[in-house]
Amino acid sequence: MEVNQMLDTQINMYTVDTGHFYSNHEKYLHDLNCKYRKEMSYINNKLPRLEKKLKEYGYSSDDIKLFKADKSEIIEKNILESHVETIQEYIKWNSLIVHKRKKANESKDKLLKLLSHKVEQNELTNGKDHIRYIREDELHDNNIISVFESALTRTIGIQKDELTDTLLVVQVYYFDVFKDISYYGFMYKGEKYKYFTSSAGQIRKKKAVFIKESIWDNIEKSIMCGLTIDRINEKGGNNVNKHLAYMALTNSATDEWKEFDINKSIVIHDFETDVYGTYDFVDERDYSITSKTDYVPIPHTDGAGMVLPSVSRKNFMFRAPWIKGLLGVFDFIKFIKVNNYSPIIKDIYGKEHDVIKEDIQVIFTKSQFKMAKYYNSWNEYKEYYKKYHCSAGRCNIEEDRIKNAKINYQMLQTLTNITDEEIDLLASRSVERIINVCSSKETMLDILGVTPYNTNMTAFQKAIKIYPPLLSDTYAKDVIREIKDSLLKKYRSGKLEVAGKYTFILPDFYAACEYWFGHIDNPDGLLNDKEVFCWLFKHFDKLDCLRSPHLYKEHAIRFNIANDVYGERVEKIREWFVTDGLYASTHDLISKILMYDVDGDKSLVVADTNFVRIAERNMNGIVPLYYNMRKAEPTELNNKTIYAGLNQAFTGGNIGIYSNNISKIWNHEVFIDGTEEEKKEAIDIVKLLCMENNFSIDQAKTLYMPARAEWFQPVVSKYTNLKLPAFFKYAKDKDNGQLQPRNESFVNKLYDKIPNKPINTRGMNLGKLEYTKLMQNPNIVCSKEVSDLYDILNKQYRYMINMKDEYIDNMRYVACKIRDEFSRIGYSEETIADMLVEYLYGKGKRYKQLFWFCYGQYIVNNLENNISVRKTKFIQCVDCGEWVEVDKLNTKTTRCKDCQHEEDKRIKRIYKANSLQK
């Protein structure tokens, strides 16, 4: 199985909004509303000039508010005659705004009533009153989106780069229109469409996927692996929002796993034990918080299954009809043989399997098989899978080289006990990077993303790697300047460089197999409480394990048993835990600290010793939070319940509100100069907001949200009524009017810690740029027709495509469309690429965004033909574990430059010490 395959097959489809389904009268009312609002906006733009003039005349803000309300008579005796004309003009425009607002509201009210009445009438007649149509004349190129292929698109048979009308995405603005089309479908080009599903991400954005009814009838049993809505309802129905999430699995971006053999897989019960520990129980009934030391049920394999290392070297996420989650690499066959256990295991339906005789390669757990109760046996599922030609997919395959990540403000703001010197330490990597943006060719390449970790480089990145003199061009400098400005914004928002990486969280599969095959109820496994195993950071004996969203103090400081200090244990555990994932102990409450499942969740594992030390101090006395969450109840699936569930999800829980309110608390003065009692109260409020947030997330599924305790509102509001922390200017693009003044909280202090140093490449020897090396035919001169078209299209598209890649950024349709426009002139794409090189580089033009986006790969091909490209390989530094690129024939280098420098110093010290002894 290949592990570095990248999702690169895209298809194109239309995205519309509920306005595309208007009748002519509805469209008239909508346009009328838009007209009034545009006029209001136009008039509003006139007011600042007049307000400035009135202030210059000496009128206060309160005076201007009276003019705005047309109450100038209150201060009439103080108005000079020379001011009257300006005041009257200001009153006139404000009165006009009031009038336009009234008319806009009237037109909107009429539209809403009309939409409401129409859907009511359709309900009364069971859809016979009318059916909505897409307004075809309003579908344009900007309604086309590119998406990666999925099991759904493969099952339908949509070809690469095809513009399909089989699927349509609808953005929901007016719920009555959506109710109409979700209940009764809609028509487009003579075909009827029906609601298909919405993924969790689409629900957050109020989007819905529709499918041609005729196509759905043909593929329904392939997508649903033999099930139907009727059969699901016969067996008790399903929770609507869970059902939609499971249906959306087939629409998620995957590569087909052609080698997967359903006959060589089984599904077994999850591994769950009660773990002993101390936690804070947050009771949603009375908002009390009680410290408890007791057993907590932990489903260790929630979302995780196992795949043999002979099938895959890497962990990856798996998708099949009704099955989702992580497949972690573990040799359960070897485990059985080494421990002399029986290979017999029961599946979730009670049937015994011999995993050796049956050549089982993949073991799923019940938590991964979302619709298990609707099948009578695993064999029935397998038969349907084969009968209806179902397929399996994989995505998010563990990388060979995992890059360092950035931390975020949520993880930093909970470090409330920190000194200025420690902030300097944690910000030092970021400060160094932004100061040295243009200190050398190497730092320029690094800032542009040409690193050993970038396995999917854009054409421009490939080109500057092959031919560094391109760095001397204005376009490269503009790109570096934009990246530097972006970094400045990120760093000041708390997205700091850190010695940390994102990696899959995995359970102790050895313990799980002791449970499954050894029939040990509470197995030891390979890891003890407070221990993890992470080979990525084998040079570090203590790690901070983090996960987003990070709302409470959630720094899980753990001992890394992959480090040499643990002697023989390292080799023994590495024999079984062979990937770069983060393996967690089954005796630890870490999953309650980080609130993770093991269905593909990743942890940001930080190894920086200073960061770990500071985080450990801040976690002193902190224990996990625990709540009694409600379960989602099933219901009959029909148009009515599906719409009700979606409506609840669209309008329900909003993690952003809770997250922002919690940030207000962590950045409050109470943690700067408050008493210990005040700090405790603030932390308790965070605990309760975390509880509310969790119930809010589940509200669409459970239909339950606890009622706030009466005492809580006045206590929490003294924090939540405040504006947002000052650094949200950079973190969330908030205006100054939405922000508190900058105080001395950790993340706010980063503003002064991160310098804004201007870009300067003068004096750098980047080499002379010979643009003909970028060409296939260096004698070509650009035709005026091509250069004129380029100038028009670059102006139109440059902001949309700047620093983008047609494959990586899902913009294949846009790239093909632009190239098609050039091809109409009559030249081949290779010739157009050469012409544009001559025009843009030969004539010193600045704006080359569209050129690199559409024709960059041709330039890379030309450079590879025109320049002798050195052959290289990647090696991993034996000291720090970072990857470096060296010549292919280089057999001596074993370290990165920094570590080699330290090693050279160490050898010199030893040599000097030996010399002194002699």
Side-chain angles (χ1 to χ4, degrees):
M1 166 181 169
E2 292 180 24
V3 296
N4 289 321
Q5 183 177 349
M6 171 193 154
L7 288 165
D8 62 357
T9 303
Q10 295 178 45
I11 61 106
N12 308 302
M13 67 173 74
Y14 285 106
T15 179
V16 297
D17 64 54
T18 39
H20 282 86
F21 300 94
Y22 285 150
S23 67
N24 288 338
H25 187 49
E26 290 164 352
K27 179 76 166 62
Y28 165 76
L29 291 172
H30 176 86
D31 290 347
L32 195 61
N33 179 263
C34 291
K35 171 179 171 288
Y36 288 132
R37 294 197 175 279
K38 278 180 185 173
E39 289 170 352
M40 282 167 58
S41 178
Y42 171 77
I43 298 166
N44 255 320
N45 290 334
K46 292 179 172 290
L47 299 182
R49 176 184 62 83
L50 293 169
E51 286 167 356
K52 183 181 177 185
K53 206 170 181 181
L54 290 169
K55 284 180 180 176
E56 287 171 359
Y57 288 160
Y59 295 103
S60 68
S61 296
D62 288 338
D63 293 336
I64 293 171
K65 282 179 184 175
L66 290 171
F67 297 149
K68 198 169 198 170
D70 196 10
K71 294 179 179 177
S72 56
E73 68 277 1
I74 295 174
I75 55 169
E76 192 170 352
K77 61 182 179 183
N78 297 322
I79 295 175
L80 298 178
E81 192 175 335
S82 58
H83 301 168
V84 170
E85 188 178 338
T86 304
I87 293 169
Q88 286 178 340
E89 186 183 359
Y90 186 69
I91 290 171
K92 179 189 78 172
W93 289 125
N94 275 293
S95 298
L96 199 52
I97 286 174
V98 171
H99 172 70
K100 297 290 182 185
R101 185 181 294 118
K102 182 184 175 186
K103 300 298 283 183
N105 289 338
E106 284 174 0
S107 61
K108 186 171 183 180
D109 287 343
K110 285 180 183 177
L111 174 61
L112 292 174
K113 281 177 186 174
L114 180 59
L115 296 176
S116 177
H117 290 156
K118 285 188 79 167
V119 74
E120 283 174 15
Q121 191 62 28
N122 236 5
E123 284 185 87
L124 289 172
T125 61
N126 197 26
K128 290 176 183 170
D129 182 70
H130 67 271
I131 188 164
R132 290 191 174 271
Y133 287 75
I134 285 186
R135 302 177 67 87
E136 293 181 35
D137 58 327
E138 294 185 18
L139 281 185
H140 307 292
D141 277 352
N142 58 5
N143 291 109
I144 295 169
I145 56 171
S146 296
V147 297
F148 289 119
E149 70 167 353
S150 63
L152 177 64
T153 66
R154 289 190 289 266
T155 303
I156 294 169
I158 303 171
Q159 299 301 304
K160 180 180 179 180
D161 296 333
E162 179 186 341
L163 175 57
T164 183
D165 62 0
T166 301
L167 299 168
L168 277 155
V169 177
V170 177
Q171 173 73 61
V172 179
Y173 293 123
Y174 289 102
F175 284 92
D176 282 328
V177 175
F178 178 62
K179 186 177 185 180
D180 220 351
I181 62 176
S182 68
Y183 268 47
Y184 308 111
F186 62 82
M187 300 296 293
Y188 174 58
K189 289 186 176 178
E191 290 266 11
K192 189 175 181 187
Y193 287 73
K194 64 178 289 176
Y195 175 66
F196 174 55
T197 192
S198 300
S199 67
Q202 286 169 329
I203 284 174
R204 280 194 294 274
K205 296 176 182 177
K206 296 184 174 61
K207 290 183 178 181
V209 180
F210 284 74
I211 188 170
K212 270 185 191 176
E213 203 165 64
S214 59
I215 297 290
W216 174 250
D217 291 342
N218 291 331
I219 67 167
E220 178 182 14
K221 290 198 173 179
S222 294
I223 297 301
M224 297 178 68
C225 198
L227 295 184
T228 62
I229 295 296
D230 287 342
R231 177 165 174 178
I232 292 168
N233 285 335
E234 284 168 12
K235 295 209 170 209
N238 196 6
N239 180 268
V240 168
N241 293 84
K242 282 189 174 185
H243 179 77
L244 294 178
Y246 303 157
M247 289 287 284
L249 293 176
T250 189
N251 199 27
S252 58
T254 56
D255 287 317
E256 187 175 3
W257 187 11
K258 293 179 181 176
E259 301 83 3
F260 175 69
D261 186 347
I262 190 72
N263 289 318
K264 294 183 178 181
S265 67
I266 57 170
V267 56
I268 63 175
H269 285 286
D270 280 275
F271 165 43
E272 180 174 322
T273 65
D274 291 333
V275 177
Y276 194 72
T278 301
Y279 56 89
D280 282 338
F281 175 66
V282 185
D283 194 330
E284 86 285 356
R285 295 168 301 180
D286 59 4
Y287 277 52
S288 62
I289 302 168
T290 310
S291 179
K292 294 187 176 184
T293 301
D294 203 347
Y295 287 95
V296 179
I298 303 289
H300 303 294
T301 56
D302 191 4
M306 298 185 294
V307 59
L308 289 175
S310 57
V311 176
S312 174
R313 295 185 301 113
K314 299 286 185 179
N315 306 310
F316 62 93
M317 291 173 71
F318 177 87
R319 297 284 186 270
W322 312 125
I323 302 176
K324 67 159 282 195
L326 184 69
L327 286 181
V329 181
F330 189 80
D331 198 338
F332 49 87
I333 301 296
K334 175 182 170 184
F335 172 89
I336 291 166
K337 291 177 178 177
V338 166
N339 290 287
N340 200 26
Y341 287 141
S342 166
I344 307 295
I345 192 168
K346 284 183 180 179
D347 68 23
I348 57 173
Y349 300 98
K351 183 182 176 183
E352 291 189 339
H353 297 264
D354 186 320
V355 297
I356 295 177
K357 279 186 182 175
E358 295 180 35
D359 190 21
I360 298 300
Q361 298 174 348
V362 175
I363 294 181
F364 298 113
T365 53
K366 187 177 180 180
S367 57
Q368 295 182 295
F369 189 20
K370 303 301 182 181
M371 302 288 275
K373 74 175 185 179
Y374 302 96
Y375 294 90
N376 297 316
S377 67
W378 179 239
N379 197 54
E380 183 184 33
Y381 177 86
K382 291 194 295 182
E383 290 308 310
Y384 280 146
Y385 185 95
K386 290 177 282 188
K387 179 180 178 180
Y388 295 111
H389 309 290
C390 300
S391 63
R394 53 197 175 93
C395 56
N396 291 340
I397 301 165
E398 187 177 73
E399 304 99 319
D400 281 328
R401 302 189 291 274
I402 301 176
K403 66 180 180 182
N404 271 330
K406 290 180 177 64
I407 204 158
N408 63 53
Y409 74 84
Q410 288 186 334
M411 298 167 179
L412 297 180
Q413 68 188 6
T414 58
L415 302 177
T416 51
N417 179 2
I418 189 168
T419 66
D420 276 1
E421 292 73 20
E422 288 172 332
I423 294 174
D424 289 336
L425 282 172
L426 300 192
S428 60
R429 280 171 172 258
S430 306
V431 171
E432 186 179 346
R433 190 159 194 237
I434 208 160
I435 285 175
N436 294 318
V437 161
C438 287
S439 61
S440 68
K441 180 184 77 176
E442 286 72 28
T443 59
M444 290 176 78
L445 288 170
D446 178 77
I447 210 82
L448 287 165
V450 182
T451 73
Y453 298 96
N454 188 352
T455 55
N456 297 311
M457 286 196 282
T458 65
F460 182 65
Q461 289 167 333
K462 292 174 188 173
I464 58 176
K465 182 180 179 182
I466 296 168
Y467 190 49
L470 277 167
L471 292 169
S472 63
D473 178 58
T474 53
Y475 174 67
K477 292 174 185 174
D478 285 344
V479 172
I480 289 172
R481 190 173 288 106
E482 287 179 45
I483 294 173
K484 176 256 173 182
D485 290 343
S486 172
L487 282 178
L488 180 72
K489 183 179 175 184
K490 284 177 180 175
Y491 293 162
R492 286 180 170 177
S493 76
K495 284 187 179 176
L496 298 181
E497 306 288 345
V498 67
K501 300 173 188 286
Y502 280 98
T503 190
F504 284 125
I505 309 170
L506 296 136
D508 182 341
F509 280 125
Y510 194 95
C513 285
E514 286 180 313
Y515 177 87
W516 287 322
F517 295 103
H519 307 292
I520 302 169
D521 288 339
N522 199 3
D524 291 335
L526 297 177
L527 297 169
N528 301 319
D529 187 17
K530 304 293 187 296
E531 292 182 348
V532 294
F533 187 91
C534 188
W535 195 252
L536 269 177
F537 292 112
K538 59 179 181 281
H539 301 291
F540 299 85
D541 69 335
K542 200 179 275 189
L543 304 171
D544 186 2
C545 308
L546 299 151
R547 184 177 165 268
S548 292
H550 177 112
L551 302 179
Y552 185 51
K553 284 182 178 273
E554 295 159 7
H555 296 267
I557 311 301
R558 294 298 182 265
F559 298 105
N560 183 20
I561 311 304
N563 187 258
D564 285 344
V565 297
Y566 296 99
E568 293 178 359
R569 285 187 71 194
V570 179
E571 192 176 334
K572 181 188 174 185
I573 298 175
R574 183 58 177 170
E575 181 185 351
W576 299 101
F577 297 168
V578 296
T579 72
D580 284 334
L582 174 73
Y583 295 85
S585 169
T586 58
H587 307 287
D588 194 347
L589 290 180
I590 185 171
S591 63
K592 292 300 174 192
I593 298 173
L594 302 184
M595 296 299 290
Y596 67 74
D597 300 324
V598 281
D599 62 353
D601 285 359
K602 289 189 173 185
S603 171
L604 173 56
V605 183
V606 176
D608 183 293
T609 50
N610 288 315
F611 193 98
V612 172
R613 173 179 54 80
I614 295 163
E616 188 169 26
R617 183 180 70 233
N618 277 267
M619 287 299 290
N620 186 33
I622 300 295
V623 296
L625 306 180
Y626 187 63
Y627 331 99
N628 275 332
M629 302 301 295
R630 296 295 192 275
K631 287 193 174 179
E633 296 300 324
T635 186
E636 181 182 338
L637 297 175
N638 54 47
N639 291 342
K640 187 176 181 180
T641 57
I642 287 173
Y643 173 76
L646 264 177
N647 190 47
Q648 180 72 33
F650 283 158
T651 58
N654 185 351
I655 187 175
I657 293 172
Y658 290 102
S659 171
N660 288 352
N661 281 335
I662 287 169
S663 290
K664 292 175 185 178
I665 299 173
W666 289 128
N667 292 278
H668 193 273
E669 279 75 8
V670 70
F671 290 107
I672 299 166
D673 52 21
T675 65
E676 290 306 309
E677 189 177 335
E678 289 170 332
K679 289 176 185 176
K680 182 184 180 303
E681 179 194 69
I683 291 173
D684 283 347
I685 291 170
V686 171
K687 293 175 186 178
L688 290 163
L689 287 175
C690 286
M691 177 271 291
E692 288 186 345
N693 176 63
N694 278 279
F695 278 98
S696 174
I697 291 168
D698 281 1
Q699 185 181 2
K701 289 183 286 191
T702 63
L703 303 180
Y704 173 76
M705 185 69 196
R708 266 193 177 176
E710 285 185 20
W711 67 265
F712 185 58
Q713 184 59 39
V715 177
V716 71
S717 59
K718 67 183 179 185
Y719 296 101
T720 58
N721 286 347
L722 297 173
K723 294 178 180 179
L724 293 161
F727 67 83
F728 268 51
K729 178 177 183 176
Y730 305 101
K732 299 285 180 72
D733 292 317
K734 299 297 182 184
D735 298 326
N736 288 335
Q738 298 171 283
L739 305 173
Q740 289 285 115
R742 184 175 293 108
N743 65 8
E744 295 292 296
S745 74
F746 175 2
V747 187
N748 275 331
K749 281 185 176 181
L750 291 174
Y751 178 84
D752 293 319
K753 303 284 185 183
I754 307 295
N756 185 6
K757 186 181 176 184
I759 297 289
N760 183 4
T761 58
R762 288 192 298 274
M764 289 187 65
N765 183 20
L766 297 170
K768 184 183 177 184
L769 172 57
E770 298 176 47
Y771 71 84
T772 53
K773 292 189 186 302
L774 279 59
M775 303 170 73
Q776 186 181 66
N777 179 355
N779 299 316
I780 279 183
V781 175
C782 187
S783 77
K784 189 171 187 307
E785 218 176 344
V786 169
S787 61
D788 286 350
L789 180 60
Y790 179 86
D791 289 342
I792 292 167
L793 294 178
N794 192 58
K795 192 174 286 186
Q796 181 181 342
Y797 286 103
R798 74 182 190 213
Y799 295 111
M800 180 198 295
I801 61 172
N802 190 27
M803 296 191 289
K804 295 285 196 296
D805 179 89
E806 63 180 285
Y807 292 104
I808 299 168
D809 298 296
N810 255 17
M811 299 186 76
R812 174 90 172 137
Y813 180 81
V814 176
C816 290
K817 180 191 163 194
I818 294 169
R819 285 193 290 263
D820 283 346
E821 292 206 42
F822 277 104
S823 69
R824 290 186 196 126
I825 298 173
Y827 299 108
S828 70
E829 291 189 349
E830 290 84 356
T831 300
I832 289 171
D834 279 353
M835 285 184 171
L836 291 176
V837 171
E838 191 275 334
Y839 173 62
L840 296 168
Y841 283 91
K843 293 183 169 57
K845 301 291 180 181
R846 184 164 196 158
Y847 299 112
K848 305 180 178 79
Q849 294 92 335
L850 184 133
F851 165 71
W852 281 104
F853 176 70
C854 290
Y855 295 99
Q857 192 52 50
Y858 293 101
I859 308 309
V860 173
N861 297 342
N862 294 340
L863 285 170
E864 287 173 341
N865 291 328
N866 296 335
I867 293 173
S868 176
V869 181
R870 73 182 183 117
K871 289 184 169 56
T872 61
K873 63 182 178 182
F874 295 101
I875 63 159
Q876 195 169 17
C877 175
V878 295
D879 289 342
C880 69
E882 293 301 308
W883 289 85
V884 290
E885 190 172 11
V886 298
D887 285 331
K888 195 161 191 176
L889 299 178
N890 183 334
T891 56
K892 293 182 179 179
T893 302
T894 58
R895 293 178 174 84
C896 66
K897 283 184 179 178
D898 290 343
C899 290
Q900 188 58 55
H901 180 65
E902 292 301 317
E903 177 66 6
D904 291 343
K905 287 199 296 185
R906 186 185 72 83
I907 291 170
K908 280 182 183 177
R909 284 196 300 271
I910 293 171
Y911 178 78
K912 188 175 180 181
N914 289 341
S915 299
L916 289 171
Q917 285 177 1
K918 290 178 183 178

